[in-house]
Amino acid sequence: MKILVTIKQVVSLDEDFELRDDGRDVEADFHVFDLNEWDHYALEEAMRLKEAAGGDIEVVVATIGPDSADEELRKCLAKGADRAVRIWSDDLEESDPIAIARVLAALARKETPDMIFTGVQASDHAYGATGMALAGLLDWPHAAVVAGLDYAPGAQTATARRELEGGAYATVKLQCPAVLTLQLGINTPRYASLRGIKQAASRPIETVTPDALGLAAGQIGAAGSLSRVRRVYVPSVGRATMLEGTPAEQAARLANLIKEFRGEAK
Amino acid sequence: MSGILLVVEHRQGQLRPVSLEVIGAAVAAKEASGEAITVTVLAAQPDAYVDALKLAGVDEIVTVQTAHDAFDPDTYEAVTRALIDARAPSLVLLPHTIDTLGYAAPLAAKGNYGFTTDAFGLARDGDAWLATRSGYGQKVNMEIEFPDKATVVVTLRPGSFKAPEDVATPTVSTFAAPAVTLRSTHIEFEEPAASSAVDIPGAEFILSIGRGIGEETHVEQFKELADAVGAALGCSRPIADSGWLPKAHQVGQSGKTAAACKLYIAMGISGSVQHMAGMKHVDNIIAVNTDPEASIFTIARYGIVGDIFEIGEELRTHF
């Protein structure tokens, strides 16, 4: 029994970041890396299933990215993932979410997991596409934005509680194996223990090339993508009128605004 | 390839308003391209929705009868693909919603169509479509192109386009749904839990707290602050997810919309797209945040860069 959890090393930007000369991305010097917030929940859900099953489940985390992504895989190993796989070659540059999903699908065909968990979206570009594209390419049953899961490892079906807009939910029963994108709040992710972090530092990360997964050049990178970034720019956005001064002065002005709103202002 | 194809969304017998916004986006795209608009509705009884879709600019309404009324990703994907095959549209527009998150990407990946998501801008460049979306936590805009793609599927951010107001008389036709082997079954809907303690949609004044409060033990002081100033207490997603406040307090896409709100004070909330979906329409937004770069300041009327605890304490002395 195996659960594959796909993760992403997400990027936030340093203050005063600059654009690349070709205008199609932000200069990499200004990237700050982290593990995608959603992925903590996806991994946690897999770990809970593993622990509930007495350990007879292998949890494999996988990502697509250069060396720097090892750091995020190690965070997952530190929390108890059994194996970590990183797929990369320079040919994967310029991949959009669908091209990424093609690579993940090739890995999934090789790993033959019983379930695949991904995050609903990534905190940087928020496409919300990779996990479900992966399901489509594998032609597996799928459900998006799962906020509750009832699944016994090895079972033919799972019951997923999908979070809808406006505080509503829809419960669906779906066939397994399945691909689920998991939503924030489905569980409370654990922190890695110091011991886990220490051990993870020396554990191997399997590195795989797209070639080794049998992917042809036309399937990966820009050629395997359904979109291309033409240009990135900093939008002109609104800016609040800032209330300056000491905290006491700021609060006094805020108090006045509230009183004005309540019709009590002098 | 020509034509703009839309698939609208409904839930529990109600057309979702975002569907009409997508029609608005399609009308603008039609003005830019001259291509006709086909609006599709899938339902057990699709005719029920036809009148609401007869909006100015729509050329044709296609009804597709499905076995089940509730959303199913396999059904929506199969029907949309069959329509693309039959109509060869250059553009397929869908709302960026929880339901389309379930089928738009598989549709595009299997069909090899151009594809992007959560776009808030759409433009025509010669014969090609261009979409604009956010990147890096809304710090930049990304202009997306679709080289060599005859059909492009784009999901559109709710709240970005205006629904047409005028009505029209488009033709109405039916389309037979292809046979689909369902791999999932809808079991039930759950309505949001009612709360007598807070009425976010009805509140005129909301003081809302976010991740910036740090610890659960800090909730109480903001509850007292909200009471003191006469505001309903709202929160962002992490606070509700942690169980620090009931879900009924949550403002945003998956929570409540601050529909009647006139004054919204956001304390320690950075301003994600999902949170803003529930409150960005409010006329008077005041944000208090230690991070001067927080997105919330781009929609707030007034901002205070400062510590929410300090500001909160000082504010108490005035009430």
Side-chain angles (χ1 to χ4, degrees):
Chain A
M1 171 76 202
K2 187 193 286 188
I3 300 175
L4 176 64
V5 180
T6 67
I7 66 148
K8 183 183 182 187
Q9 180 174 53
V10 292
V11 172
S12 56
L13 300 180
D14 259 342
E15 273 177 46
D16 302 320
F17 62 87
E18 289 168 19
L19 299 180
R20 228 162 56 184
D21 285 344
D22 70 359
R24 294 182 53 223
D25 205 342
V26 169
E27 191 64 62
D29 295 352
F30 301 91
H31 287 180
V32 180
F33 297 121
D34 202 355
L35 176 61
N36 181 34
E37 188 182 356
W38 275 262
D39 301 345
H40 290 279
Y41 295 83
L43 175 62
E44 180 67 28
E45 200 64 18
M47 292 304 302
R48 286 180 182 210
L49 288 170
K50 177 187 169 91
E51 285 157 1
D56 192 24
I57 293 180
E58 186 181 34
V59 175
V60 180
V61 286
T63 197
I64 294 167
D67 297 356
S68 66
D70 281 352
E71 196 182 332
E72 315 315 334
L73 289 171
R74 286 199 197 285
K75 286 178 187 169
C76 298
L77 289 172
K79 290 190 188 202
D82 295 293
R83 285 170 50 218
V85 182
R86 182 171 62 81
I87 308 159
W88 190 242
S89 85
D90 290 345
D91 300 332
L92 295 175
E93 301 265 8
E94 304 269 321
S95 296
D96 80 347
I98 308 304
I100 294 292
R102 291 189 212 282
V103 179
L104 292 172
L107 178 75
R109 287 190 188 101
K110 186 173 156 236
E111 292 282 344
T112 61
D114 298 90
M115 284 294 254
I116 301 177
F117 294 164
T118 85
V120 165
Q121 62 181 34
S123 56
D124 47 9
H125 291 336
Y127 283 103
T130 311
M132 288 295 104
L134 169 60
L137 293 165
L138 291 173
D139 203 18
W140 280 20
H142 52 276
V145 199
V146 173
L149 178 63
D150 185 1
Y151 170 67
Q156 310 254 306
T157 60
T159 304
R161 185 169 174 250
R162 297 175 53 239
E163 179 189 275
L164 307 176
E165 289 88 352
Y169 294 87
T171 300
V172 296
K173 191 175 187 178
L174 75 169
Q175 293 169 18
C176 299
V179 181
L180 305 178
T181 67
L182 303 189
Q183 176 62 308
L184 304 176
I186 185 173
N187 52 45
T188 306
R190 71 194 61 195
Y191 291 97
S193 64
L194 281 174
R195 186 160 160 266
I197 293 167
K198 228 173 157 178
Q199 287 177 343
S202 59
R203 283 175 59 192
I205 286 172
E206 302 162 41
T207 53
V208 183
T209 63
D211 269 1
L213 293 174
L215 285 155
Q219 293 172 277
I220 62 174
S225 294
L226 301 181
S227 65
R228 179 180 186 273
V229 178
R230 175 186 282 198
R231 163 174 99 99
V232 159
Y233 61 97
V234 179
S236 61
V237 289
R239 186 73 186 160
T241 301
M242 290 297 173
L243 308 181
E244 312 285 353
T246 63
E249 290 163 352
Q250 290 173 315
R253 294 192 58 187
L254 179 54
N256 273 340
L257 288 167
I258 294 170
K259 286 177 179 171
E260 210 174 288
F261 169 76
R262 300 194 342 185
E264 301 163 2
K266 292 175 275 189
Chain B
M1 300 274 170
S2 173
I4 301 165
L5 177 70
L6 277 67
V7 181
V8 299
E9 206 165 289
H10 58 84
R11 187 171 291 148
Q12 296 185 278
Q14 300 293 317
L15 195 65
R16 301 200 60 236
V18 65
S19 295
L20 305 183
E21 296 175 17
V22 177
I23 295 177
V27 170
K30 177 183 175 176
E31 281 163 14
S33 68
E35 296 182 17
I37 298 174
T38 302
V39 175
T40 313
V41 56
L42 286 65
Q45 285 158 333
D47 292 347
Y49 301 102
V50 165
D51 278 346
L53 300 172
K54 289 181 172 170
L55 293 169
V58 175
D59 295 281
E60 184 187 5
I61 296 168
V62 173
T63 61
V64 183
Q65 192 176 12
T66 52
H68 305 277
D69 205 49
F71 170 78
D72 168 70
D74 291 328
T75 303
Y76 272 68
E77 185 192 330
V79 169
T80 310
R81 173 163 300 104
L83 275 160
I84 292 172
D85 289 345
R87 305 293 181 103
S90 76
L91 182 65
V92 179
L93 294 179
L94 307 172
H96 188 69
T97 57
I98 302 296
D99 283 353
T100 62
L101 281 174
Y103 80 95
L107 170 75
K110 282 152 79 178
N112 235 354
Y113 313 124
F115 180 55
T116 202
T117 61
D118 200 21
F120 52 81
L122 198 61
R124 183 87 162 172
D125 179 24
D127 287 341
W129 293 106
L130 282 180
T132 307
R133 67 189 311 286
S134 304
Y136 298 110
Q138 306 175 74
K139 291 282 195 292
V140 303
N141 284 358
M142 308 161 78
E143 213 170 73
I144 306 289
E145 58 189 359
F146 312 94
D148 308 319
K149 297 295 182 192
T151 296
V152 172
V153 178
V154 179
T155 69
L156 299 174
R157 179 178 292 182
S160 308
F161 298 90
K162 267 204 154 45
E165 284 170 10
D166 297 335
V167 297
T169 48
T171 60
V172 180
S173 54
T174 58
F175 184 81
V180 181
T181 309
L182 294 187
R183 297 176 297 183
S184 53
T185 320
H186 173 84
I187 306 289
E188 61 172 357
F189 283 112
E190 253 174 273
E191 287 310 308
S195 168
S196 53
V198 66
D199 174 23
I200 293 294
E204 293 197 348
F205 179 18
I206 297 171
L207 185 148
S208 208
I209 54 174
R211 219 191 281 259
I213 70 160
E215 306 277 339
E216 182 170 14
T217 50
H218 297 150
V219 171
E220 194 55 36
Q221 69 196 79
F222 288 96
K223 212 178 252 173
E224 286 167 12
L225 179 63
D227 282 346
V229 300
L233 182 66
C235 70
S236 66
R237 166 163 211 129
I239 304 299
D241 274 354
S242 305
W244 298 355
L245 280 173
K247 186 104 179 155
H249 291 261
Q250 188 185 324
V251 178
Q253 185 184 53
S254 59
K256 300 290 185 186
T257 298
C261 188
K262 298 192 174 101
L263 176 62
Y264 190 92
I265 302 180
M267 301 190 84
I269 295 174
S270 62
S272 68
V273 177
Q274 288 81 7
H275 186 74
M276 288 190 194
M279 48 66 79
K280 70 175 177 189
H281 59 276
V282 177
D283 275 340
N284 293 294
I285 298 168
I286 305 174
V288 186
N289 206 296
T290 48
D291 175 12
E293 301 296 320
S295 302
I296 193 83
F297 288 124
T298 66
I299 61 159
R301 176 161 288 184
Y302 296 103
I304 292 174
V305 176
D307 179 85
I308 56 170
F309 299 99
E310 222 171 338
I311 298 293
E313 256 170 55
E314 293 286 351
L315 192 57
R316 277 301 294 273
T317 65
H318 295 271
F319 291 89

